């Protein structure tokens, strides 16, 4: 009993500043069925995520939750994922995405396709330029971008991103090409004229105890 009282006192000691602070930490509750897209963006990891997306859509659910933590990968695979997200949204599904520590390059392109977006204060959101790897047989042929077509795709990608963020061309290109010093969340928000993501301090995972 004494040990329990000590633990309760310690808990109150750490929680009291948060409960009565003028600026409480902002949190976002993660749904238990959140799809995880982590590591390299490549055809096989995207194929798995698309399969999970289709499963949710066919179950009749209207919301999909996607957690992204990736430094990027193959642009073709990202386009494949983006097309499937667009199809799901056209069918009435809402896709809420949570940015982990890193959402860069091809992963950033996927993040832009979300209906609602959340990011941590410490998240790195970095567009980068298109990287195209050797086409994989699992990709639909019409989505494979190679050679000179990548220049056209880059222009389309930049335009799409500018429309989402509301940045002017000069600011967006500076943002995209900031390889040596990727922009902080504060810099991104400062240059964005649209509220395209919500910043929180941390995420909480909702666990269903009735299962």
């Amino acid at each position: 009993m004494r040990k329990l009282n000590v633990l309760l006192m310690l808990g109150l000691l750490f929680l009291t500043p948060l409960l009565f602070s003028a600026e409480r930490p902002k949190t976002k509750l993660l749904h238990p069925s959140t799809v995880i897209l982590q590591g390299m963006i490549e055809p096989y990891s995207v194929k798995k995520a698309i399969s999970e997306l289709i499963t949710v859509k066919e179950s009749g659910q209207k919301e999909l939750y996607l957690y992204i933590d990736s430094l990027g990968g193959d642009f073709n695979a990202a386009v494949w994922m983006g097309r499937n997200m667009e199809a799901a949204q056209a069918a009435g599904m809402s896709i809420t995405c949570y940015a982990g520590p890193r959402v860069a390059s091809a992963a950033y392109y996927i993040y832009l396709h979300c209906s609602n977006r959340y990011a941590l204060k410490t998240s790195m959101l970095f567009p980068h330029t298109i990287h195209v790897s050797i086409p994989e047989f699992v990709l639909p042929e019409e989505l494979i971008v190679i050679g000179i077509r990548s220049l056209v795709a880059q222009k389309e990608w930049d335009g799409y991103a500018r429309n989402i963020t509301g940045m002017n061309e000069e600011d967006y290109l500076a943002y995209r090409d900031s390889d040596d010093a990727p922009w902080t969340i504060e810099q991104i928000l400062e240059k964005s004229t649209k509220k395209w993501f919500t910043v929180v301090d941390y995420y909480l995972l909702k666990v269903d105890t009735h299962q």
Side-chain angles (χ1 to χ4, degrees):
M1 188 68 180
R2 183 178 179 184
K3 184 177 181 180
L4 178 61
N5 289 335
V6 171
L7 289 174
L8 286 172
M9 289 178 65
L10 287 173
L12 287 172
L13 179 65
F14 286 104
L15 285 174
T16 300
L18 298 180
L19 294 173
F20 297 98
S21 169
E23 292 190 15
R24 298 181 187 176
K26 298 185 182 70
T27 64
K28 180 60 184 174
L29 198 64
L30 268 65
H31 195 272
S33 61
T34 298
V35 174
I36 306 296
L37 188 57
Q38 201 165 24
M40 180 70 70
I41 301 297
E42 44 82 30
Y44 292 95
S45 64
V46 165
K47 183 179 181 181
K48 181 177 181 294
I50 289 173
S51 176
E52 294 178 0
L53 185 153
I54 292 172
T55 299
V56 172
K57 184 170 67 172
E58 291 180 346
S59 72
Q61 293 185 52
K62 291 299 183 181
E63 290 188 69
L64 176 73
Y65 305 89
L66 182 64
Y67 176 86
I68 307 173
D69 179 19
S70 170
L71 283 172
D74 180 52
F75 177 75
N76 291 314
V79 171
W80 190 23
M81 182 68 180
R83 293 286 177 86
N84 278 273
M85 292 169 73
E86 289 173 354
Q89 289 164 326
M93 180 176 286
S94 175
I95 304 176
T96 297
C97 292
Y98 309 99
R102 305 158 301 177
V103 176
S105 195
Y108 179 88
Y109 180 81
I110 293 172
Y111 186 66
L112 290 181
H113 280 76
C114 304
S115 313
N116 308 292
R117 307 172 197 87
Y118 291 90
L120 301 170
K121 287 182 176 180
T122 54
S123 294
M124 180 184 75
L125 306 179
F126 183 39
H128 204 251
T129 50
I130 288 177
H131 168 72
V132 177
S133 60
I134 298 174
E136 294 277 358
F137 71 91
V138 299
L139 286 168
E141 186 176 350
E142 70 273 11
L143 295 185
I144 296 175
V145 176
I146 56 176
I148 193 67
R149 285 180 59 200
S150 64
L151 298 177
V152 177
Q154 182 70 65
K155 186 174 182 180
E156 292 175 352
W157 185 4
D158 291 344
Y160 182 78
R162 285 182 54 207
N163 182 56
I164 297 292
T165 63
M167 290 186 191
N168 62 45
E169 185 175 11
E170 182 181 358
D171 286 338
Y172 180 76
L173 292 179
Y175 172 37
R176 187 198 72 184
D177 298 333
S178 59
D179 297 63
D180 296 331
W183 285 15
T184 63
I185 289 293
E186 288 76 13
Q187 288 175 292
I188 297 168
L189 290 172
E190 181 184 351
K191 296 297 184 180
S192 298
T193 60
K194 296 182 179 179
K195 183 177 174 56
W196 58 283
F197 65 94
T198 300
V199 181
V200 296
D201 293 281
Y202 51 85
Y203 304 128
L204 292 176
L205 177 62
K206 179 181 178 182
V207 178
D208 189 352
T209 57
H210 298 290
Q211 289 185 342

